[in-house]
Amino acid sequence: MDHFLFRQLDFVRSQTLKWMDGLTEEAADKIPEGFRNNIRWHFGHVYVVLERYCFQYSGLPLHLPPGFKERFEFGTSPLTLPASITAPVPTLEELRVLLQGQPGRIREALSHRMPEKAAQPYTTSAGMLLETPEQFVSFNLFHEGMHLSVIKLYTSLLRAPGAGH
């Protein structure tokens, strides 16, 4: 039987992916006034963090295309991207494919390991200690929901007259 968190992850991810529908490459790169990231960054960040949560901390290999860690990890911003990053910016379609495939890869790798202690425990920037794949996936639902809320906010702000860069 499938762990309930995988069904929740599928649901949350489907909600995230809906916000890619109709989004243009140009709109994905606009940064609303007063913010440091764009919609593309939030999609990439959601992918990178879940990849780290589920694979790195379980001692499994990550699937991160070149430049993803440097471009989308916590604390990064398109405004301060180092010139040393030569990998191209992923298109929305490339991000969609990665985001769509990720939950299935996680289910396949971790379905039988959900309650096990992770190879490496992790304390989030909010102070939450995560020690099992089950805890990482559960916390990710909160994390991805936060970023989905920001994507919705940016979309609204960028539609307002005079918004964006």
Side-chain angles (χ1 to χ4, degrees), residues 65-113:
F68 266 56
K69 183 170 176 46
E70 299 82 2
R71 191 178 300 279
F72 299 120
E73 189 55 88
F74 179 78
T76 62
S77 166
L79 298 174
T80 58
L81 202 59
S84 61
I85 299 175
T86 57
V89 175
T91 65
L92 289 174
E93 186 55 31
E94 289 167 336
L95 285 169
R96 179 186 297 277
V97 167
L98 289 168
L99 288 164
Q100 283 175 330
Q102 192 178 41
R105 285 189 309 104
I106 291 166
R107 179 182 280 109
E108 185 177 317
L110 298 178
S111 62
H112 60 288
R113 299 178 59 183

Side-chain angles (χ1 to χ4, degrees), residues 7 28 59:
R7 290 190 303 277

Side-chain angles (χ1 to χ4, degrees), residues 21-79:
D21 295 343
L23 183 65
T24 65
E25 298 288 337
E26 179 185 13
D29 288 331
K30 290 184 179 176
I31 299 174
E33 190 68 41
F35 293 91
R36 28 181 331 248
N37 289 308
N38 54 37
I39 293 172
R40 184 185 316 273
W41 181 89
H42 285 278
F43 287 130
H45 178 73
V46 161
Y47 177 82
V48 167
V49 169
L50 184 57
E51 195 71 12
R52 182 167 38 85
Y53 279 0
C54 290
F55 294 98
Q56 178 180 327
Y57 295 115
S58 293
L60 299 170
L62 285 77
H63 176 69
L64 289 178
F68 266 56
K69 183 170 176 46
E70 299 82 2
R71 191 178 300 279
F72 299 120
E73 189 55 88
F74 179 78
T76 62
S77 166
L79 298 174

